Amino acid sequence: MPNKHYRVGRLEQEIQREVADILLKRVRDPRVAGVTITGVEVTGDLQEATLYYSILSDKASDNEKAAAGLSKASGLIRSELGSRLSIYKTPEITFEQDKSVQYGNHIDELINKLHQQERD
């Protein structure tokens, strides 16, 4: 059923946009200040949503703080989502760190080092 697939995709985009807004305007926790939502995956039955996020720091302590802040804020985020989304039941949300962003940053660093070595 192609219609349902479209609905999931649209819902994922809506959740990503709304959660970014909620983090910016409603969540007052400094631990989530630098968090960017990089993607959302919703299950086919629309019951669960995994929100992928990145933070600018690679430090493990910062990652732990962000994860703790998101976990603490997830109830507020979900209830806020419930009032903003026009769906029957708000999906359960879980946060997962997006490792691809860190990987991309690491590749950029390696490329920059190579260029530096070529110049030296």
Side-chain angles (χ1 to χ4, degrees), residues 34 54-63 66 97 101-102 105:
S54 69
I55 63 169
L56 291 173
S57 169
D58 317 340
K59 290 201 314 223
S61 61
D62 290 341
N63 289 335
Q97 189 176 2
V101 174
Q102 280 180 308
N105 290 343

Side-chain angles (χ1 to χ4, degrees), residues 101-115:
V101 174
Q102 280 180 308
Y103 179 73
N105 290 343
H106 181 63
I107 297 296
D108 287 345
E109 282 173 29
L110 292 175
I111 291 169
N112 289 337
K113 279 182 188 166
L114 277 175
H115 287 307

Side-chain angles (χ1 to χ4, degrees), residues 35-70:
V35 168
T36 303
I37 302 298
T38 56
V40 176
E41 271 179 24
V42 176
T43 54
D45 60 4
L46 311 180
Q47 296 295 302
E48 293 169 40
T50 303
L51 286 74
Y52 295 94
Y53 69 92
S54 69
I55 63 169
L56 291 173
S57 169
D58 317 340
K59 290 201 314 223
S61 61
D62 290 341
N63 289 335
E64 285 167 24
K65 284 178 194 164
L70 288 169

